[in-house]
Amino acid sequence: MARKRHSDEDVLKLLREIELKLSGGSDVAFACRSVGISDATYYNWRRRFGGMGRAQLSELKSLEKENVQLKKIVAELELDKLILKESLNHLKPRA
């Protein structure tokens, strides 16, 4: 069976549907099967997105994007530092 990729918005929507079914007296296994996901997927999504609204989701996405950019900047600066150290070692007179 092909693996489905759900967007984060779809995940929030499915989690809300499952929560409604659970509040109606259904069990987790039945609620998950009715929306087409496994129990393990539900628990993973709930751990990651539980209690999150759309505003918080967009903030999370922007923070993740900013984190990637910052990691890239740090890697470039570290490379520049190593290059400068190496060039400084070549310029030092050897005793």
Side-chain angles (χ1 to χ4, degrees), residues 27-93:
D27 64 335
V28 174
F30 178 76
C32 291
R33 270 183 283 152
S34 66
V35 296
I37 62 170
S38 69
D39 297 357
T41 302
Y42 166 70
Y43 289 118
N44 286 332
W45 285 353
R46 193 178 75 175
R47 185 182 68 237
R48 183 168 180 213
F49 298 107
M52 193 180 292
R54 290 195 190 279
Q56 292 168 331
L57 179 63
S58 63
E59 184 179 346
L60 175 68
K61 283 183 178 181
S62 67
L63 287 174
E64 286 174 346
K65 189 175 184 179
E66 181 182 0
N67 195 19
V68 167
Q69 291 172 344
L70 290 173
K71 284 182 179 182
K72 198 177 291 185
I73 290 170
V74 168
E76 290 172 0
L77 288 173
E78 192 68 29
L79 182 63
D80 290 345
K81 185 176 107 177
L82 289 173
I83 290 170
L84 288 173
K85 274 186 177 180
E86 189 174 308
S87 63
L88 184 63
N89 287 338
H90 287 296
L91 294 176
K92 282 185 182 177

